Amino acid sequence: MDLADKGGIEALTMRKLAERLGVEPMSLYYHVASKDELLSGIIGLAEGEIEIPADDLDWKTAIRRMAISFHDVLKRHPWAASLPQAAGVSPASVSPARLRYMESVLGRLREAGFSANMTHHAYHALDSHIVGSTLWHAGYASIKGFPKDIATTFARSLPVETYPYLLEHIEQHVNPALRDGKSEFEFGLDLILDSLERLRTAKVKRTRSPRKL
Amino acid sequence: MDLADKGGIEALTMRKLAERLGVEPMSLYYHVASKDELLSGIIGLAEGEIEIPADDLDWKTAIRRMAISFHDVLKRHPWAASLPQAAGVSPASVSPARLRYMESVLGRLREAGFSANMTHHAYHALDSHIVGSTLWHAGYASIKGFPKDIATTFARSLPVETYPYLLEHIEQHVNPALRDGKSEFEFGLDLILDSLERLRTAKVKRTRSPRKL
DNA sequence: ACCTGAACACCGTTCAAGT
DNA sequence: ACCTGAACACCGTTCAAGT
């Protein structure tokens, strides 16, 4: 079921899926209520691939690993990043795998000493970064042809006087030697995690020695 | 042209658009090469609403405002956040308004003293946050019925022992009194901006007095 | 329990032809 | 210059009917 769309891209249609299964399109409706339900199903399968690390890691390492694993999953299955928005989103269609992931991230934050409020916001910041990064990555990767050639051609069409910084930015994409080792995803992730760590230590200090400062 | 889909949701179809314009569907192809081109067009219109602040603001305030304005635009026109992934993305279809926005953000960062490499990563971190947050927001807002009721019902269906932190998280959504004033979007944005500011001042200090430390 | 034929109400797009 | 009729190759989905 899942294999069907991994090969192809988002040309996953009820009729083609049925054909692949050697069956008539309407037969699928015996097993599944609607296409949305089917999509929720395969998204759940993908989310099952997210790695939840062992308990002995500190909060930052653990969350960093989960975020990277989630991002990797979404890179492997780009449709899983864009579909949730298109498909009918309802709480009931959220996969157990996703719930498990959420619970784990939230738990790490809470147990590291973050307040419920901070944890709430931290979770959403991480989630937005993962989804946003993946969508950008998927869009960039989906450009047909050789992206570098296209980017270069595009850059040449821009007036240098009006877009000097944008041209520099495109150059960074075309020539990876101009960037350091960290990926765009990990860089942004660390910006978020570092801010969280600062907020945490500031709070822990206050709590530990309330009179000393 | 734009008004057509603002009212309705993503039921924007060539045939319905034609009907609204009192014309036959095929007539549209005289004015536009494909549906993708039309979609790129209306996305550009939305992006034109992004506010670019005056030059006299410091980099952090300026970027913060642009990010919030961009996010507001995407909240007003949710389709503009999800479409770019679905529609055929090609450099040529990026609107002048978007280029102007990019140039402005990149310029603020560079002129604030960030290296080309740092600016590159900072831009993508901000962009991912804006897109990711908006998609989450749109998905959450699109849930039919009263989201709070649905969330509460959903929460009750979860076993408390296995998902204690997730339940707490849902509670935070249902009861806004449990959160502080800042929106999820602004909180995450400030995590990123604060990290950037730290990296910047660390570098400026190093540059200003290389021997003193 | 599992599948199908026939049908409905949609899509985007092409192309030769009309005014 | 601008619009249209007719047609093509698709969609998701329902429902009564078959084995």
Side-chain angles (χ1 to χ4, degrees):
Chain A
M1 208 95 146
D2 193 12
L3 320 171
D5 65 325
K6 255 183 226 160
I9 324 146
E10 254 352 51
L12 167 64
T13 145
M14 296 302 264
R15 298 174 119 101
K16 282 184 187 155
L17 174 62
E19 195 187 0
R20 172 104 76 193
L21 298 177
V23 101
E24 299 298 315
M26 331 81 184
S27 309
L28 300 174
Y29 287 89
Y30 178 79
H31 305 279
V32 100
S34 65
K35 191 182 181 180
D36 275 359
E37 189 180 299
L38 189 150
L39 293 176
S40 303
I42 67 167
I43 289 172
L45 254 49
E47 287 167 343
E49 297 176 17
I50 303 171
E51 284 175 41
I52 312 290
D55 285 339
D56 57 351
L57 295 168
D58 68 297
W59 72 273
K60 205 179 173 188
T61 315
I63 288 181
R64 196 167 191 278
R65 281 205 200 166
M66 283 191 274
I68 290 174
S69 170
F70 195 177
H71 182 237
D72 284 343
V73 167
L74 294 178
K75 275 198 294 186
R76 276 201 295 279
H77 316 293
W79 40 263
S82 51
L83 279 187
Q85 328 308 330
V89 201
S90 85
S93 68
V94 176
S95 74
R98 182 67 186 262
L99 297 180
R100 183 159 160 269
Y101 163 80
M102 291 183 70
E103 180 67 20
S104 184
V105 172
L106 293 166
R108 294 289 191 166
L109 291 166
R110 286 298 265 139
E111 283 161 18
F114 288 103
S115 71
N117 184 53
M118 277 283 302
T119 298
H120 174 92
H121 283 118
Y123 178 82
H124 282 291
L126 291 166
D127 202 53
S128 292
H129 181 67
I130 294 168
V131 171
S133 288
T134 310
L135 285 179
W136 174 82
H137 190 274
Y140 192 70
S142 78
I143 296 179
K144 45 268 152 202
F146 296 99
K148 291 191 181 185
D149 294 357
I150 295 176
T152 310
T153 311
F154 177 64
R156 272 200 248 282
S157 78
L158 292 175
V160 198
E161 335 52 270
T162 37
Y163 300 112
Y165 298 117
L166 179 55
L167 286 167
E168 183 181 63
H169 183 80
I170 296 173
E171 226 176 305
Q172 300 251 331
H173 278 295
V174 174
N175 186 353
L178 297 173
R179 282 172 289 153
D180 65 10
K182 238 190 234 177
S183 71
E184 282 90 354
F185 175 74
E186 290 188 32
F187 187 91
L189 177 60
D190 288 336
L191 288 183
I192 294 171
L193 290 175
D194 288 346
S195 269
L196 288 175
E197 184 164 45
R198 284 199 82 216
L199 290 172
R200 178 174 169 274
T201 44
K203 190 204 157 196
V204 169
K205 264 186 199 147
R206 247 194 354 261
T207 312
R208 278 209 194 122
S209 47
R211 290 286 148 203
K212 299 243 169 88
L213 302 175
Chain B
M1 206 95 146
D2 194 10
L3 320 171
D5 64 325
K6 256 183 228 160
I9 324 149
E10 254 353 52
L12 166 64
T13 145
M14 296 302 266
R15 297 175 119 102
K16 281 184 187 156
L17 173 62
E19 195 186 4
R20 174 104 75 194
L21 298 177
V23 100
E24 299 299 314
M26 330 80 185
S27 310
L28 300 174
Y29 288 88
Y30 178 79
H31 305 278
V32 101
S34 65
K35 191 180 182 182
D36 275 359
E37 188 180 301
L38 189 150
L39 293 177
S40 303
I42 66 166
I43 289 171
L45 253 52
E47 287 167 344
E49 296 176 17
I50 303 171
E51 283 175 43
I52 312 288
D55 285 339
D56 57 351
L57 294 168
D58 68 297
W59 71 272
K60 204 179 172 186
T61 316
I63 289 182
R64 195 167 192 282
R65 279 205 200 166
M66 283 192 274
I68 290 174
S69 171
F70 195 177
H71 183 237
D72 284 343
V73 167
L74 294 178
K75 274 198 293 187
R76 275 201 298 278
H77 316 293
W79 40 264
S82 50
L83 278 187
Q85 329 307 331
V89 200
S90 83
S93 68
V94 176
S95 75
R98 182 69 186 261
L99 297 181
R100 184 161 160 269
Y101 163 80
M102 290 182 72
E103 180 67 20
S104 184
V105 172
L106 292 167
R108 294 289 191 167
L109 291 167
R110 286 297 266 140
E111 282 160 19
F114 288 103
S115 71
N117 184 53
M118 278 283 302
T119 298
H120 175 92
H121 283 119
Y123 178 81
H124 281 291
L126 291 166
D127 201 53
S128 293
H129 181 67
I130 294 167
V131 171
S133 288
T134 310
L135 285 179
W136 174 82
H137 191 274
Y140 191 70
S142 77
I143 295 179
K144 45 268 152 201
F146 296 101
K148 289 189 182 186
D149 295 355
I150 294 177
T152 310
T153 312
F154 177 64
R156 271 199 249 281
S157 77
L158 291 176
V160 198
E161 345 38 280
T162 37
Y163 300 110
Y165 298 117
L166 179 56
L167 286 167
E168 184 181 61
H169 183 80
I170 296 172
E171 225 175 308
Q172 300 252 332
H173 278 294
V174 173
N175 186 352
L178 297 174
R179 281 170 291 153
D180 65 11
K182 236 191 238 179
S183 71
E184 283 91 354
F185 176 73
E186 290 189 31
F187 187 92
L189 177 60
D190 287 336
L191 288 183
I192 294 170
L193 290 175
D194 288 346
S195 268
L196 288 175
E197 184 163 47
R198 284 200 81 219
L199 290 173
R200 177 174 170 275
T201 45
K203 190 203 156 195
V204 169
K205 265 185 199 149
R206 241 190 3 255
T207 311
R208 277 204 195 126
S209 48
R211 289 288 144 202
K212 298 242 170 90
L213 302 175

